[in-house]
Amino acid sequence: MEFVISSVTLYTLYHMLSKVYYYGRANHVQAKVILLLPELPDSYWQGRSGRSDCARGIVRLQEAFAPAIKNNLLEIVPVPVPEEELSAIRKQMESEQAGGA
């Protein structure tokens, strides 16, 4: 599955930011959305062509929501996914697919 930012994804994030903004104003608190984006290891990208699309998608997010980032309403945090965790996820998915077939 490749990382693609659709209009629906952008709208959903915009809607979420709006709700958090108005919540903060109504309650006189500082609130923000923290968007966690996985950083997949190089082994994930072997044989796949989506790595550059993923990078462009992140840049597009940062550009589209620059005002929210600047005003501390949105924080984009990359989360590294270790190779061991990726392997465990693959094994779990394979076992679930084998059990459901």
Side-chain angles (χ1 to χ4, degrees):
M1 178 181 352
E2 306 305 334
F3 181 72
V4 178
I5 298 179
S6 68
S7 298
V8 174
T9 304
L10 292 175
Y11 175 78
T12 303
L13 183 55
Y14 175 78
H15 182 73
M16 190 182 309
L17 287 166
S18 295
K19 289 174 83 173
V20 168
Y21 171 76
Y22 287 114
Y23 170 84
R25 291 216 34 202
N27 294 293
H28 305 289
V29 296
Q30 182 160 358
K32 68 178 172 180
V33 173
I34 300 175
L35 180 62
L36 304 176
L37 295 178
E39 281 185 348
L40 298 170
D42 291 337
S43 66
Y44 174 82
W45 297 105
Q46 291 175 352
R48 291 185 169 90
S49 61
R51 186 177 212 153
S52 61
D53 292 338
C54 183
R56 280 193 302 269
I58 293 169
V59 169
R60 183 175 172 204
L61 270 176
Q62 290 170 330
E63 290 172 351
F65 293 100
I69 293 169
K70 181 181 176 191
N71 291 313
N72 203 29
L73 187 59
L74 173 64
E75 182 179 353
I76 299 174
V77 178
V79 179
V81 178
E83 181 65 45
E84 301 79 33
E85 235 176 275
L86 185 60
S87 295
I89 292 168
R90 284 181 178 149
K91 286 178 186 174
Q92 181 180 358
M93 289 176 66
E94 288 170 0
S95 67
E96 288 175 3
Q97 288 175 351

